[in-house]
């Protein structure tokens, strides 16, 4: 299968597939076409019996710097509703094969949310996690307010979501967001090693165990996600969303109106 924005190695190691986000110039910003390719690739791997674990990675500088702001900047609430990106995120949520994110550099906004949608995170010491959407006039829209809060607790999540502050790999480890930190030259190797351990386990038990762990919070999560989604869409009706995203594109500080 030919992809433009991702690379897929179905057997990077025994039972382990590797999917790499590949839009390096844009810091792997998650444009719709990339998300579409990623969703399709993950579903195909999920359907293959000899794929027991999937590692999702970016490059040393960025796992992903978020949804593509340039693509979103001109959109209004109705455009966002029509495009319905959420359906792709919902499909990724349904992948049964365990997913491990191998994160180096920026994991911001949708990039942080994508890492959190994975079941485990192996980070390089340069990894930075953040939900900076507030700085461009919106808020997290793909689970950030819900999964981050569950992972790092209310106080830290509130600070990250309300100020856009990034946290280091060490802070993320201490907070329980990630599984381990390794030097930058080893993070992918370490994620593949962990994936190999998972891939060696009985596949049905692995899938059911994953489902059961996710169940520990998913029923509350679904309510939270609906609430988050409604608020996220509403923000595309504001002038501050237009201003925040235009300011990013034009490389200038935003002027907030509160409207
Ligand atoms: N979108 C588009 N382009 C981006 C980008 C992004 N998120 N992040 C970086 N780039 C581009 C930059 O514009 C720049 O392009 P050129 O100027 O070279 O053309 C290039 O990547 C390199 O970036 P910088 O020159 O800015 O590099 P620096 O090292 O100086 O800074 C940075 C790196 C990561 C701190 C900075 O690029 C930055 O602040 N990026 C934006 C981070 C951000 O705000 N992320 C959140 C985006 S909003 C949803 C699903 C998901 C979402 C929402 C809804 N649904 C399911 C509905 C998610 C929303 C978001 O993620």
């Amino acid at each position: 299968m030919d992809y433009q924005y991702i690379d897929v190695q179905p057997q990077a190691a025994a039972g382990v597939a590797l999917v790499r986000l590949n839009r390096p110039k844009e810091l792997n910003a998650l444009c719709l076409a990339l998300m579409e390719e990623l969703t399709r690739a993950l579903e195909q791997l999920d359907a293959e019996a000899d794929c027991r674990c999937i590692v999702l990675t970016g490059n040393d500088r960025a796992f992903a710097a978020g949804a593509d702001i340039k693509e979103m900047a001109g959109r209004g609430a109705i455009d966002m509703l029509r495009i319905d990106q959420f359906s792709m995120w919902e499909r990724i949520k349904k992948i049964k094969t365990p997913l491990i994110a191998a994160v180096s550099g920026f994991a911001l906004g949708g990039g942080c949310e994508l890492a959190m949608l994975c079941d485990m995170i192996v980070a390089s010491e340069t990894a930075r996690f953040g939900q900076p959407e507030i700085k461009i006039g919106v808020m997290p829209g793909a689970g950030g307010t819900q999964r981050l809060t569950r992972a790092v607790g209310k106080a830290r999540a509130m600070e990250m979501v309300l100020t856009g502050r990034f946290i280091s790999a060490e802070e993320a480890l201490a907070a329980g967001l990630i599984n381990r930190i390794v030097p930058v030259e080893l993070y992918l190797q370490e994620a593949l090693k962990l994936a190999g351990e998972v891939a060696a386990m009985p596949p049905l038990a692995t899938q059911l165990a994953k489902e059961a762990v996710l169940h520990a919070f998913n029923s509350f999560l679904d309510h939270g996600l609906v609430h988050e989604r409604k608020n996220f869409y509403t923000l595309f009706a504001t002038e501050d969303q237009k201003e925040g995203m235009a300011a990013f594109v034009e490389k200038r500080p935003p002027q907030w109106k509160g409207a």
Side-chain angles (χ1 to χ4, degrees), residues 25-27 29 61 65-70 72 80 85-86 89 106 108-110 113 132-133 136 141-142 166 232 248 251:
K25 265 178 56 202
E26 294 81 6
L27 306 185
R61 186 171 175 215
D68 191 321
I69 304 172
K70 293 167 190 168
M72 275 190 304
M80 294 301 283
Q85 289 185 64
F86 290 113
W89 291 75
F106 299 112
L108 305 176
E113 290 168 315
E133 291 89 341
I136 53 167
F166 302 166
F232 178 80
F248 176 85
K251 298 184 190 285

Side-chain angles (χ1 to χ4, degrees), residues 107-108 112 116 128-135 140 148 152-168 171-172 175 177:
L108 305 176
C112 187
M116 291 191 291
R128 296 283 174 279
F129 298 86
Q131 297 291 160
E133 291 89 341
I134 199 84
K135 294 184 175 170
L148 185 69
V152 306
K154 177 186 160 194
R156 205 180 310 240
M158 206 55 108
E159 186 180 335
M160 289 172 72
V161 169
L162 295 186
T163 69
R165 180 172 82 83
F166 302 166
I167 60 170
S168 65
E171 198 175 344
L177 179 65

Side-chain angles (χ1 to χ4, degrees), residues 19-87:
V19 178
R20 185 187 290 281
L21 307 178
N22 190 20
R23 263 191 105 198
K25 265 178 56 202
E26 294 81 6
L27 306 185
N28 290 331
L30 305 168
C31 61
L32 285 176
L34 183 154
M35 285 305 298
E36 200 276 318
E37 289 186 1
L38 177 63
T39 308
R40 196 154 37 91
L42 292 177
E43 284 178 340
Q44 269 171 14
L45 292 169
D46 199 33
E48 284 172 19
D50 54 359
C51 175
R52 305 281 173 77
C53 190
I54 302 169
V55 172
L56 177 61
T57 196
N59 55 53
D60 293 355
R61 186 171 175 215
F63 176 73
D68 191 321
I69 304 172
K70 293 167 190 168
E71 193 177 61
M72 275 190 304
R75 291 197 176 126
I78 304 301
D79 304 318
M80 294 301 283
L81 262 172
R82 284 215 177 100
I83 293 166
D84 186 25
Q85 289 185 64
F86 290 113
S87 58

